[in-house]
Amino acid sequence: MTIRTSQLCKTYNEESDFPVHAVKSLDLTIEQGEFVAVMGPSGSGKTTLLNMLGGIDKPSSGRVLIDDCDICELPEKSLIAFRRDHIGFIFQDYSLLPVLTALENVEFVMQLQGHSEKECRERASALLAQVGLSEQQNKTPAKLSGGQQQRVAVARALAPRPRFVMADEPTANLDAQSTAELLDIMQQLNEKEGTTFIFSTHDPRVIKRARRVIVFEDGQLTEDRRQ
């Protein structure tokens, strides 16, 4: 699957005297299997871009095409199903369900997809083992460290076998060791399963690992380099 944007724009407070142009006329292509860091200062439009690529936020104008399907034109129910089946999200604040265990959090989207209890349990357990949390799978988020919660969030994002993972500042609250371990896990999954990762980040540790770096300033792409 390829993501392609065409003249993508997002403006907040359009009707006011002080509109905010978060993303301006962006043409961008991201191929299946890429490991991409979108970097730039706070307020540059990074998170807005990821939210539009993932179908969480609708653009003011322009298109987001995933394999020639314009997700901006999908009816709400179809868009929800598309996100569920093809796009995983990793949020800076983890966004785990507090009343569920780590295992149940990872199972949740697979249950929405209609997989059997056995399938959900086996894949969730395997993913938690992969991120080093087999012994914590029955703990709720409140009993896990920040790094452990972020690992659960990674496992949850990967559980439904998405083609793309949007990761918004995933290392912002982590120490150096947790960051390195988390990036190792995501790189391995990218290489073994071909999952595309798109990061919004300030973190030089993430930028160093990325194979492509996109620089954003004031809602505009100012640099696009491979490394």
Side-chain angles (χ1 to χ4, degrees):
M1 279 183 155
T2 299
I3 295 181
R4 182 164 57 88
T5 71
S6 176
Q7 292 295 293
L8 189 68
C9 298
K10 182 65 177 181
T11 303
Y12 295 101
N13 303 322
E14 288 185 86
E15 305 303 322
S16 77
D17 293 333
F18 303 100
V20 177
H21 302 288
V23 175
K24 306 172 186 176
S25 302
L26 178 67
D27 294 324
L28 178 68
T29 299
I30 297 175
E31 302 289 350
Q32 178 75 38
E34 291 204 72
F35 202 75
V36 183
V38 181
M39 63 175 287
S42 295
S44 60
K46 304 185 303 296
T47 296
T48 298
L49 174 61
L50 258 64
N51 286 344
M52 289 193 289
L53 295 181
I56 291 178
D57 202 358
K58 286 190 176 293
S60 302
S61 60
R63 300 194 295 168
V64 177
L65 298 115
I66 300 184
D67 274 1
D68 296 323
C69 170
D70 187 350
I71 64 171
C72 308
E73 298 297 324
L74 290 175
E76 189 63 24
K77 281 189 176 181
S78 299
L79 179 59
I80 289 169
F82 189 91
R83 283 199 308 258
R84 179 196 66 204
D85 294 338
H86 298 294
I87 304 173
F89 295 93
I90 303 170
F91 300 101
Q92 183 176 342
D93 63 356
Y94 320 132
S95 294
L96 301 176
L97 296 171
V99 298
L100 301 183
T101 65
L103 185 69
E104 291 165 341
N105 265 284
V106 178
E107 290 177 321
F108 186 68
V109 177
M110 291 184 288
Q111 292 169 342
L112 295 178
Q113 288 179 315
H115 294 289
S116 70
E117 182 178 344
K118 181 174 182 289
E119 287 177 306
C120 293
R121 187 57 48 95
E122 287 178 353
R123 178 152 174 82
S125 293
L127 283 167
L128 286 171
Q130 199 166 358
V131 299
L133 290 179
S134 288
E135 295 183 3
Q136 284 78 35
Q137 65 178 14
N138 293 318
K139 293 181 179 179
T140 57
K143 295 180 180 178
L144 300 172
S145 70
Q148 289 172 332
Q149 289 184 63
Q150 194 63 297
R151 291 184 190 204
V152 176
V154 170
R156 179 187 59 186
L158 293 165
R161 293 184 170 87
R163 306 300 293 274
F164 298 93
V165 172
M166 308 293 174
D168 187 16
E169 299 281 5
T171 61
N173 300 316
L174 305 183
D175 60 29
Q177 181 177 342
S178 296
T179 293
E181 291 171 351
L182 191 68
L183 289 170
D184 285 343
I185 291 162
M186 290 191 278
Q187 275 190 312
Q188 290 165 11
L189 291 165
N190 169 256
E191 291 165 5
K192 290 179 181 178
E193 300 190 15
T195 306
T196 305
F197 282 84
I198 305 171
F199 298 87
S200 159
T201 188
H202 297 95
D203 192 335
R205 298 167 297 186
V206 177
I207 294 161
K208 184 178 179 181
R209 300 278 196 114
R211 294 196 296 274
R212 180 181 179 188
V213 176
I214 293 168
V215 181
F216 244 58
E217 289 184 25
D218 296 326
Q220 293 182 304
L221 191 157
T222 58
E223 187 178 352
D224 186 350
R225 67 177 187 266
R226 297 185 185 275
Q227 55 185 35

